[in-house]
Amino acid sequence: MKVLSVTSELYPLVKTGGLADVAGALPLALKAYDIETKTLIPGYPAVMKAIRNPVKRAEFADLLGVQANLLEARHEGVDILVLDAPALFERAGGPYVDPNSRDYADNWKRFAVLSKAGAEIATGAIADWQPDLVHAHDWQSALTPVFMRYGEAPERPSLITIHNIAFQGQFASDIFPELGLPAHAFWEALEYYGTISYLKGGLVAAHAISTVSPSYAEEILTPAFGMGLEGVIASRADDLYGIVNGIDATVWNPAADQLIAQTYTSAALKKRQANRDALAARFSLDSDDGPIFCVISRLTWQKGMDLLAEVTDTIVAAGAKLVILGSGDHALESSLLAAAARHKGRIGMVVGYDEPLSHLMQAGSDAILIPSRFEPCGLTQLYALRYGCVPVVARTGGLADTIIDANEAALNAQTATGIKFAPSSADALRSAIRRAVRLHTSDKIWGQLQKQGMKCDVSWGRSAERYAELYQRLVSKGQ
Ligand code: ADP
């Protein structure tokens, strides 16, 4: 089967969140199911610089008024199609924001053009390659199924995956004429309380919708999590699927990780200590036995980082330590930095995005704190399982689906892999931290939690099988 994946992020070329990881890893895992994926991404400067020996596969004279070339290259095993449109993508900032962190004013156009290119490829823009199915991701490529639905060529099956429904691509309705869609597409697909929502359009037009965990699939049917799209999703409930993400088990493998101080396996967990020591040195922590909690996160309300800021004194009072790696909301950054300054030797913080350090933190911390208010899937708890870093997580979305709480029954049955708490509040987080500190006093119980976590299969294998089944179902239905 041939699949076109359309995405605005692709690990390792361009990443702001979990979407990039999924877009990068899934095509590789799907090869085992005889699925050949080509991945369409914008020609951002980082992409143009990284690709080697690109081959021109098509030329678009007029994609919503923009001229673009389509280049094909292979990067780290993934076949990529690069939309080379300098007027839209050759910019100094990030994929969505300028160097001052402001959204580009023409994001509506940048991602409409990307989506349009996806629809053109679906209908034969590349002479000798036509996909059997198109897989769109998030609002940035949500218009691909819309263009396919309202195009003239016979429609191919399409799937849209929601990685985070908080980002919907909402724009003023006066851009509608620029999209070149028939007038009825406005009311049928795109209209959202007088504005235009790209994600809504994709949810209406795609043949199926998936999201990145079964629990999140249920949650987004409710007003508390659906962020205004719960009604649209409810109307598509029969075509809604939840498939948990996997992780790249070669990048995240404590037995071979070159980014950590000492490699280890579950059979030789004692070796982890060298990473713990390296981590403590890096963050100037005291060298006592109190557990080290880590946080590796965007610093946002979604991630519950305000709750973290509220409980820092509790962590220290309980005899534990905390290391934080993150960036985001400036007020949260300042309050966490202030906590670190208040508790030297107990709390350390690095502001920024640092992939190598995130590996050492997973390898050297005793536990990871993830107090998210909502979490479609979450990757950091999966890395943590693999690294014997016990996840302490809010019971929501993918966190609820991937961690087994250390309650009495699960401890007795030796199935527990972490600690779950609810609701996402400072009080519940405090109790969970105290519970973790108590459990950590028993080497036996803690070692059991670590080993059980390390046994979990968090690779792409099982998830890829589910996607392969879903693709197959959609293609069979479309015939
Ligand atoms: P989201 O996509 O909502 O940010 P996920 O848990 O799905 O959350 O994915 C976050 C990814 O970004 C993980 O790979 C995590 O390790 C990484 N990450 C987040 N913040 C940082 C940081 N400051 N430095 C390094 N990696 C980070």
Side-chain angles (χ1 to χ4, degrees):
M1 185 189 304
K2 298 192 195 74
V3 172
L4 173 69
S5 169
V6 188
T7 176
S8 59
E9 299 185 24
L10 182 71
Y11 180 86
L13 291 174
V14 47
K15 165 169 162 173
T16 71
L19 158 64
D21 293 294
V22 177
L26 187 56
L28 299 175
L30 284 170
K31 284 183 185 173
Y33 299 89
D34 226 4
I35 293 172
E36 177 208 334
T37 310
K38 290 191 196 290
T39 303
L40 174 66
I41 48 166
Y44 307 116
V47 174
M48 299 306 289
K49 218 172 113 197
I51 53 172
R52 297 277 162 265
N53 310 317
V55 177
K56 189 161 144 187
R57 296 303 301 270
E59 202 176 309
F60 299 110
D62 179 12
L63 278 178
L64 309 181
V66 173
Q67 192 276 328
N69 287 325
L70 187 66
L71 309 177
E72 181 162 15
R74 177 170 270 241
H75 189 77
E76 304 207 353
V78 179
D79 285 326
I80 54 177
L81 295 168
V82 179
L83 188 65
D84 180 17
L88 300 178
F89 301 121
E90 195 185 286
R91 303 206 178 158
Y96 318 118
V97 296
D98 67 19
N100 299 318
S101 301
R102 275 190 298 259
D103 283 351
Y104 295 119
D106 60 350
N107 272 344
W108 68 269
K109 181 159 196 167
R110 300 170 75 233
F111 295 104
V113 169
L114 175 73
S115 299
K116 179 77 178 168
E120 295 286 324
I121 297 166
T123 48
I126 300 178
D128 56 353
W129 193 87
Q130 204 171 355
D132 301 301
L133 176 138
V134 175
H135 189 168
H137 300 268
D138 277 348
W139 72 266
Q140 294 90 335
S141 55
L143 289 191
T144 296
V146 177
F147 287 124
M148 288 163 68
R149 167 66 48 93
Y150 294 99
E152 271 148 33
E155 198 183 348
R156 305 263 148 168
S158 61
L159 168 68
I160 183 162
T161 297
I162 303 169
H163 298 266
N164 188 340
I165 207 166
F167 305 107
Q168 303 183 352
Q170 204 180 332
F171 302 102
S173 58
D174 57 11
I175 65 161
F176 183 74
E178 312 283 335
L179 299 176
L181 288 161
H184 57 114
F186 180 75
W187 294 109
E188 280 172 18
L190 291 176
E191 192 275 338
Y192 182 72
Y193 296 107
T195 70
I196 281 184
S197 163
Y198 283 16
L199 184 59
K200 186 202 158 203
L203 297 177
V204 170
H207 292 84
I209 300 167
S210 77
T211 186
V212 288
S213 68
S215 287
Y216 194 59
E218 280 174 30
E219 288 169 352
I220 56 176
L221 291 165
T222 67
F225 293 89
M227 304 224 165
L229 290 178
E230 60 275 7
V232 180
I233 295 170
S235 73
R236 302 291 320 270
D238 289 345
D239 302 309
L240 176 64
Y241 300 84
I243 304 175
V244 170
N245 292 333
I247 64 170
D248 186 331
T250 53
V251 173
W252 294 93
N253 177 9
D257 193 332
Q258 294 303 304
L259 299 171
I260 62 180
Q262 168 70 58
T263 56
Y264 59 97
T265 62
S266 61
L269 264 179
K270 282 215 168 68
K271 286 191 177 173
R272 240 181 145 261
Q273 183 65 37
N275 295 308
R276 201 173 185 274
D277 294 343
L279 185 68
R282 178 85 181 254
F283 284 89
S284 307
L285 295 183
D286 299 342
S287 58
D288 55 280
D289 290 339
I292 303 177
F293 291 102
C294 73
V295 169
I296 304 162
S297 182
R298 292 187 284 120
L299 302 179
T300 63
W301 182 87
Q302 178 207 330
K303 299 287 180 181
M305 289 296 111
D306 52 320
L307 308 176
L308 178 73
E310 278 187 60
V311 305
T312 50
D313 293 349
T314 304
I315 292 173
V316 174
K321 289 161 280 187
L322 172 67
V323 289
I324 306 166
L325 169 62
S327 62
D329 184 305
H330 292 303
L332 289 172
E333 248 172 56
S334 314
S335 67
L336 291 168
L337 280 170
R342 228 174 27 242
H343 297 292
K344 287 213 160 54
R346 311 307 297 179
I347 300 182
M349 177 163 184
V350 168
V351 174
Y353 191 92
D354 188 334
E355 196 99 18
L357 179 57
S358 74
H359 284 243
L360 179 65
M361 289 170 77
Q362 295 279 12
S365 308
D366 298 294
I368 186 166
L369 295 178
I370 314 180
S372 307
R373 287 194 167 81
F374 64 95
E375 193 63 76
C377 178
L379 291 170
T380 50
Q381 85 279 14
L382 303 178
Y383 304 148
L385 285 173
R386 192 136 160 83
Y387 277 66
C389 175
V390 175
V392 179
V393 305
R395 192 189 299 129
T396 183
L399 300 172
D401 289 333
T402 54
I403 305 301
I404 299 174
D405 182 62
N407 57 42
E408 279 305 307
L411 281 174
N412 287 337
Q414 303 203 356
T415 54
T417 57
I419 290 168
K420 292 205 258 197
F421 62 91
S424 300
S425 68
D427 280 344
L429 175 59
R430 272 191 203 96
S431 312
I433 288 166
R434 292 199 192 97
R435 194 145 74 92
V437 172
R438 263 199 317 276
L439 291 171
H440 185 259
T441 57
S442 160
D443 288 346
K444 185 166 164 247
I445 291 181
W446 199 260
Q448 192 184 300
L449 284 174
Q450 290 178 298
K451 285 189 182 143
Q452 195 57 35
M454 292 175 89
K455 268 195 216 160
C456 295
D457 179 7
V458 291
S459 71
W460 267 102
R462 273 177 47 199
S463 312
E465 187 181 347
R466 303 241 161 86
Y467 275 104
E469 280 164 13
L470 177 54
Y471 286 178
Q472 195 56 59
R473 189 171 316 154
L474 293 172
V475 169
S476 309
K477 252 197 197 165
Q479 278 164 358

